[in-house]
Amino acid sequence: MDILVQTLADGLVIGAFYSLIALGYTMVFGIIKLLNFAHGDLYMLGAFVGYTLLSLLSGSGTGAGLMGIVVVLLLTMVIVGLIGMGIERVAYRPLLLAPRLSILITALGVSLFLENGSMIAWGAQYQVYPLQLSHDGWNVLGAQITYTQMGLVLISALLMLGLHQFISRTLYGKAMRAIAHDQTACHLMGIDVHKVIGLTFFIGASLAAGAGTMAGAYYGTVNFMMGFIIGLKAFTAAVLGGIGSIPGAMLGGLLLGMMETAGTFVFGGSWKDVVAFSLLILILVLRPTGIMGEKVTERM
Amino acid sequence: MSALLKLTDVHSFYGKIEALKGISLEVRQGEIVALLGSNGAGKSTTLKTISGLVRPGSGDIQLEGKSLVGWSPHRIVEEGIVHVPEGRRIFAGLTVHENLELGGFTQRKEKAVIAEGIELAYALFPRLKERSRQLGGTLSGGEQQMLAICRGLMARPKLLMLDEPSMGLAPIIVQEIMEIIRKINGQGTTILLIEQNAKAALRLAHRGYVLETGQIVMENTAEVLRGDESIVKAYLGA
């Protein structure tokens, strides 16, 4: 029993990170039918920007209090969000009308650019995060659940709730959903489609960056390649939930995190990625539309 | 009556195919103008060129004397031209209410205007009010057309362009839609209308243009066009 609870709790934290990243994947796919393979690198960028901001903060002698951490998190999200928008403007927008393959290859190029750019900026070695999170916690049914874990899941939940509110209540959120349906009709409503697409990239990138900062603090080290595997995992989560579906991405991330953690427990740590990607293959074979996905007709 | 919209020698291309070969027309303040012609004559392309979905190769498009050539579609809507496209293009996964709200996107700074527009739409079509929480895709064809027209009105257009509002609808519904168009016009909105159903269109319109292979071959008052048997047979169908 204690092992089950521990697995669920650990899986929930990882799953929350997957969900946050998967949201960006799924939103971008929903709106311009692009699998943005550079998305995982925005998570990495979030971790590094957070790292730099925290270093500045603790370097000035004040130490990073709780307020400081929240400010760093928000600031990181804004900075990386703007970078995400910039990427859309420079790399993807000129190719919106080009065949899908061109823009997909561009995404891979952007990914390489971000990875190597970060290596130049922050170095190739692992960096230790300038933040020690508490290892205290509660004992729940024999399992150790730390305050940190609870805090991270709570922040993630708040971010997702905020996104949900934005998408379902605001006019820009509705416009995002509408563009996913019919871009031409949106033009005719007087919606500045490019602006809304830019906004989508901003939100997706900032959610990934939030996950990145939190993951950096949670795991303690960051590296320029940390976005690669987790990007693929988040993609798996998005497919699991049904790509294009926002609740699907949230659910898919949490499920994947927990299944992966459970798989690690059963098969051992070295099988972690095998579990996740086997799952991807299984979904693609058995239910390509995912749990909550709608049938999509391919537009080339 | 002054010209609200004026097209001067407009040429439009799809790739290398010249779809419009020098269209000149004008729509005056307060009019209903019908654009008639067979399939492929260039009616829809004309509307798409006006609304900015298709960039004209040459020629000028003016709204109240201001040239709109090269503007992006959303700016043209902001300027006061709304295009209700062929096939209605309702957002199937959004509710009726949300569809209407998005129609008022250009009015987003003033929530009261959007709320008022939605009330007007519901007054115009009480059936939409009953279905306001339903997804757009669950509506019948006639209801979708009503929603599409109302969604267009939400932007408070000076000129409303309707592309085949009667397509695929039962005759009784067509009649209802036509009445509504007349009503909207009566409330001061100028209308440019494309219709396959030429008889119905000419009963409604003040003037008409007949298009053939990308050119205007005839223009006159609706009365004259209606009375000309040969025209009715040649261009307008039975």
Side-chain angles (χ1 to χ4, degrees):
Chain A
M1 190 62 195
D2 54 336
I3 288 166
L4 184 69
V5 174
Q6 188 73 59
T7 305
L8 284 180
D10 294 349
L12 205 60
V13 177
I14 302 168
F17 295 157
Y18 289 161
S19 295
L20 287 175
I21 309 168
L23 281 168
Y25 254 114
T26 222
M27 286 169 72
V28 166
F29 182 82
I31 204 160
I32 60 171
K33 303 289 173 276
L34 161 70
L35 292 174
N36 183 12
F37 281 117
H39 192 63
D41 297 304
L42 293 168
Y43 158 89
M44 175 272 295
L45 218 50
F48 271 113
V49 171
Y51 164 84
T52 300
L53 290 176
L54 278 171
S55 304
L56 289 176
L57 197 65
S58 44
S60 64
T62 50
L66 191 63
M67 235 11 241
I69 295 172
V70 172
V71 170
V72 165
L73 185 69
L74 292 178
L75 208 56
T76 304
M77 289 176 68
V78 171
I79 293 171
V80 178
L82 291 175
I83 294 174
M85 258 173 112
I87 291 170
E88 187 271 335
R89 185 71 193 80
V90 173
Y92 300 147
R93 192 180 299 179
L95 291 171
L96 270 186
L97 298 176
R100 296 290 90 179
L101 193 58
S102 319
I103 194 165
L104 192 71
I105 292 168
T106 306
L108 295 174
V110 171
S111 170
L112 289 173
F113 176 81
L114 291 178
E115 282 164 13
N116 291 290
S118 302
M119 186 184 74
I120 292 167
W122 284 286
Q125 68 278 41
Y126 279 85
Q127 305 283 355
V128 177
Y129 229 64
L131 182 67
Q132 286 297 318
L133 292 175
S134 154
H135 289 287
D136 299 335
W138 280 335
N139 197 312
V140 182
L141 300 168
Q144 174 79 3
I145 299 174
T146 65
Y147 298 134
T148 302
Q149 287 181 321
M150 283 184 278
L152 293 178
V153 171
L154 186 72
I155 294 173
S156 306
L158 283 177
L159 287 175
M160 288 189 241
L161 192 70
L163 176 73
H164 177 77
Q165 292 296 319
F166 176 80
I167 293 286
S168 54
R169 306 230 176 228
T170 68
L171 201 56
Y172 273 97
K174 287 167 192 173
M176 267 178 206
R177 284 187 286 145
I179 290 177
H181 276 289
D182 189 336
Q183 205 160 316
T184 305
C186 284
H187 279 300
L188 296 178
M189 303 290 100
I191 296 169
D192 187 345
V193 170
H194 289 305
K195 199 164 148 190
V196 178
I197 292 174
L199 184 64
T200 308
F201 271 85
F202 178 87
I203 293 173
S206 60
L207 290 177
T213 308
M214 290 195 280
Y218 184 57
Y219 297 118
T221 56
V222 289
N223 175 265
F224 74 100
M225 283 304 287
M226 67 187 276
F228 178 70
I229 285 287
I230 203 161
L232 292 178
K233 296 265 181 71
F235 170 66
T236 307
V239 172
L240 173 63
I243 193 138
S245 156
I246 285 172
M250 297 180 187
L251 185 68
L254 294 178
L255 277 178
L256 182 69
M258 288 196 256
M259 282 195 258
E260 193 184 88
T261 315
T264 307
F265 174 73
V266 176
F267 301 111
S270 47
W271 291 83
K272 194 173 91 179
D273 296 346
V274 179
V275 172
F277 295 127
S278 306
L279 192 68
L280 175 62
I281 294 169
L282 275 179
I283 309 156
L284 288 177
V285 172
L286 298 176
R287 192 176 160 83
T289 53
I291 299 170
M292 312 186 82
E294 295 160 28
K295 217 167 168 180
V296 194
T297 39
E298 187 61 39
R299 288 189 307 190
M300 287 299 278
Chain B
M1 281 199 286
S2 60
L4 180 67
L5 177 81
K6 193 172 161 85
L7 271 65
T8 316
D9 196 26
V10 170
H11 294 254
S12 280
F13 298 83
Y14 285 124
K16 286 194 170 162
I17 299 163
E18 190 174 15
L20 300 184
K21 301 168 184 165
I23 298 277
S24 296
L25 60 80
E26 65 174 49
V27 181
R28 295 170 202 144
Q29 189 73 48
E31 275 189 318
I32 300 180
V33 172
L35 213 51
L36 308 164
S38 53
N39 281 333
K43 299 177 307 247
S44 291
T45 310
T46 305
L47 292 203
K48 284 180 190 166
T49 308
I50 296 169
S51 60
L53 290 178
V54 173
R55 291 242 160 126
S58 65
D60 196 20
I61 301 168
Q62 292 187 345
L63 183 75
E64 297 176 316
K66 192 194 277 183
S67 176
L68 306 180
V69 172
W71 287 30
S72 50
H74 71 93
R75 283 190 61 206
I76 291 175
V77 177
E78 279 166 12
E79 203 61 29
I81 301 182
V82 168
H83 175 185
V84 177
E86 191 176 1
R88 323 187 229 287
R89 307 191 88 139
I90 292 301
F91 301 120
L94 273 64
T95 66
V96 169
H97 196 82
E98 288 171 334
N99 268 281
L100 289 172
E101 282 178 304
L102 284 172
F105 194 83
T106 54
Q107 311 289 324
R108 63 191 172 280
K109 300 253 156 57
E110 296 181 58
K111 293 226 159 65
V113 172
I114 293 185
E116 190 190 349
I118 290 176
E119 280 316 307
L120 282 175
Y122 288 161
L124 211 53
F125 294 111
R127 258 186 287 170
L128 291 182
K129 184 168 191 172
E130 290 163 28
R131 307 207 187 307
S132 69
R133 300 283 154 211
Q134 256 174 259
L135 295 185
T138 64
L139 300 185
S140 72
E143 289 164 346
Q144 287 195 11
Q145 186 60 56
M146 293 167 191
L147 178 56
I149 293 174
C150 288
R151 193 176 62 171
L153 286 174
M154 288 293 299
R156 301 194 153 185
K158 294 170 187 158
L159 173 69
L160 184 67
M161 305 195 293
L162 303 169
D163 194 343
E164 302 255 14
S166 73
M167 193 167 68
L169 302 181
I172 186 153
I173 310 237
V174 173
Q175 219 163 32
E176 194 181 340
I177 300 253
M178 292 296 166
E179 274 318 305
I180 289 292
I181 294 173
R182 193 194 300 277
K183 205 160 152 187
I184 291 167
N185 178 247
Q187 289 165 358
T189 307
T190 308
I191 288 171
L192 179 57
L193 173 71
I194 292 186
E195 257 307 331
Q196 281 284 335
N197 188 338
K199 275 188 182 163
L202 287 175
R203 268 199 300 273
L204 202 62
H206 303 105
R207 290 188 305 119
Y209 290 87
V210 180
L211 260 80
E212 198 181 334
T213 58
Q215 284 168 312
I216 288 175
V217 291
M218 192 169 298
E219 64 166 291
N220 217 320
T221 62
E223 215 167 306
V224 173
L225 292 175
R226 212 164 37 214
D228 194 324
E229 275 305 313
S230 68
I231 295 165
V232 171
K233 278 206 181 107
Y235 301 119
L236 312 181

